[in-house]
Amino acid sequence: MNRLAGKVVLITGAAQGLGEAMARRMAEEGARLVLTDINEAGVNAVAASIGDAAVACRHDVTSPDDWAAAVAFAEEKWGGFHVLVNNAGIAGGSTVEATDFDTWKRVHSIDLDSVFLGCKLSLPTMARTVRETNVRGSIINLSSIAGVIAAHNSAAYNSAKAAVRHLTKSVALHCAKQKYRITCNSIHPVFIDTPILNGITSVMGREAGLEKLGRQIPLGAVGEPDDIAWAAVYLASDEAKMVTGHGLYVDGGISAM
């Protein structure tokens, strides 16, 4: 308990799935939270269920103006923030020939451009907050094992998530050079039982779909949201103060094949 005491965390895409799971685990570990999502009703409900430690706002992560508003909201509510979790994202696309340009741009806008905007527009406030409170900071970018292992039918998603992995390393080196006391790492989940799998499970049926995906993973099952939430808690905590520019694979062993 209290691994994140004294830290304020901003989490995007927090209305459901991994974002919600990370919010709940981080609150249990003593963090105060700014939860954002384009689904305003959903993110408000998650914040209300967590209690006084969480506030929420609507946030389109592809919009620089919305990013500026979310950062200002965090400053108004908590005086700034120490930890940024760039979690918002979508699946989408097909093979390189079958993916239309609009889909390509949409996937990259939500899955990659939002991470760039989040890092760029949050760092001035994060650096000030870290300096004034003497509490270390962290950026955690949600990539995917699909950013490491490609698939023939995921051209846009593979591209965006691979770019998040390398952008993370660049941001980590920048923060180190600036002596911000802010680390930057990426998390690379395998299939996790969240709504992002609905496209598969709705066709095959939930149990059959999860079993089929699980057979592709050496450990034999898809992951649970808390598998990622605990990884994020670690990277946000001072336990990981010497970990930066790292990609943490939470993949059931699939990258070892």
Side-chain angles (χ1 to χ4, degrees):
M1 299 295 290
N2 294 322
R3 294 164 70 189
L4 303 181
K7 300 199 179 200
V8 178
V9 183
L10 191 158
I11 306 174
T12 68
Q16 62 181 2
L18 298 184
E20 179 181 356
M22 288 186 285
R24 296 190 184 283
R25 297 294 82 80
M26 288 182 169
E28 290 172 357
E29 294 296 334
R32 290 170 293 168
L33 304 171
V34 179
L35 307 181
T36 82
D37 202 291
I38 200 166
N39 176 359
E40 185 174 14
V43 78
N44 283 336
V46 171
S49 71
I50 290 173
D52 292 342
V55 295
C57 67
R58 184 190 180 279
H59 181 193
D60 176 355
V61 293
T62 68
S63 164
D65 289 343
D66 272 23
W67 267 108
V71 170
F73 179 75
E75 292 177 321
E76 174 191 350
K77 295 297 183 180
W78 300 124
F81 56 104
H82 307 85
V83 179
L84 169 65
V85 183
N86 281 308
N87 167 70
I90 61 169
S94 182
T95 69
V96 66
E97 290 188 283
T99 300
D100 62 82
F101 192 37
D102 285 341
T103 298
W104 174 268
K105 290 186 290 185
R106 181 168 183 265
V107 170
H108 281 77
S109 178
I110 296 172
D111 289 0
L112 173 59
D113 295 350
S114 70
V115 178
F116 162 74
L117 291 172
C119 293
K120 176 180 175 61
L121 299 178
S122 296
L123 271 173
T125 292
M126 291 179 68
R128 176 189 58 77
T129 307
V130 167
R131 184 173 60 252
E132 292 178 353
T133 62
N134 196 30
V135 174
R136 292 177 180 274
S138 176
I139 296 174
I140 302 167
N141 297 326
L142 268 292
S143 180
S144 169
I145 205 62
V148 180
I149 300 171
H152 75 281
N153 58 350
S154 300
Y157 189 71
N158 286 159
S159 172
K161 291 300 188 179
V164 168
R165 176 175 178 265
H166 223 59
L167 173 60
T168 295
K169 295 177 182 295
S170 180
V171 173
L173 294 173
H174 168 72
C175 290
K177 187 174 182 64
Q178 296 299 316
K179 302 188 185 305
Y180 282 159
R181 298 176 72 221
I182 297 171
T183 58
C184 185
N185 297 285
S186 54
I187 299 178
H188 299 260
V190 73
F191 307 119
I192 304 293
D193 188 7
T194 68
I196 203 168
L197 298 184
N198 286 351
I200 296 172
T201 58
S202 62
V203 173
M204 301 186 63
R206 175 174 165 76
E207 294 305 319
L210 294 179
E211 286 179 8
K212 179 180 180 180
L213 293 173
R215 288 194 294 270
Q216 301 177 47
I217 302 169
L219 287 182
V222 301
E224 300 173 355
D226 272 352
D227 295 326
I228 307 307
W230 287 121
V233 167
Y234 166 67
L235 291 174
S237 76
D238 286 350
E239 299 160 22
K241 63 185 176 61
M242 282 294 288
V243 180
T244 197
H246 177 65
L248 178 54
Y249 299 175
V250 187
D251 69 350
I254 197 169
S255 61
M257 296 173 66

